[in-house]
Amino acid sequence: MSSLQLLGFAAAFCTTAAFLPQAIKTIRSKATHAISLPMYLLLIVGIILWLSYGLILGDYPIIIANAITLFLCSIILILKIKYG
């Protein structure tokens, strides 16, 4: 694995892990009143675009990070719609 790929995986880990505490808190509390629906919709569109970009390039750090982030953000969005 090249140092460039290691850098990509490190960045992917940090940005993906950043969503984990919010997802856990939202799942546990079901409190979504402070979460912006338009922001999460736009974020998910952006994540889908990044995931598509990564798939086209075959870039695993981009693919893995955005697939996991899409999953976490989708949970938050579903809870926002359900409990918001």
Side-chain angles (χ1 to χ4, degrees):
M1 185 176 304
S2 73
S3 58
L4 188 57
Q5 269 192 318
L6 285 174
L7 177 64
F9 277 116
F13 174 79
C14 290
T15 57
T16 301
F19 283 94
L20 197 54
Q22 184 66 56
I24 291 169
K25 182 179 180 180
T26 304
I27 291 166
R28 287 183 180 163
S29 71
K30 311 276 191 283
T32 61
H33 62 279
I35 295 172
S36 168
L37 182 61
M39 185 282 260
Y40 261 85
L41 289 171
L42 187 58
L43 178 63
I44 285 179
V45 169
I47 293 167
I48 290 168
L49 292 172
W50 272 114
L51 180 58
S52 300
Y53 178 75
L55 289 168
I56 290 166
L57 291 178
D59 190 319
Y60 289 107
I62 294 173
I63 294 167
I64 293 167
N66 286 287
I68 294 169
T69 304
L70 180 60
F71 175 74
L72 295 173
C73 286
S74 294
I75 290 171
I76 295 168
L77 179 64
I78 290 166
L79 291 173
K80 172 66 177 173
I81 292 168
K82 184 175 180 179
Y83 297 109

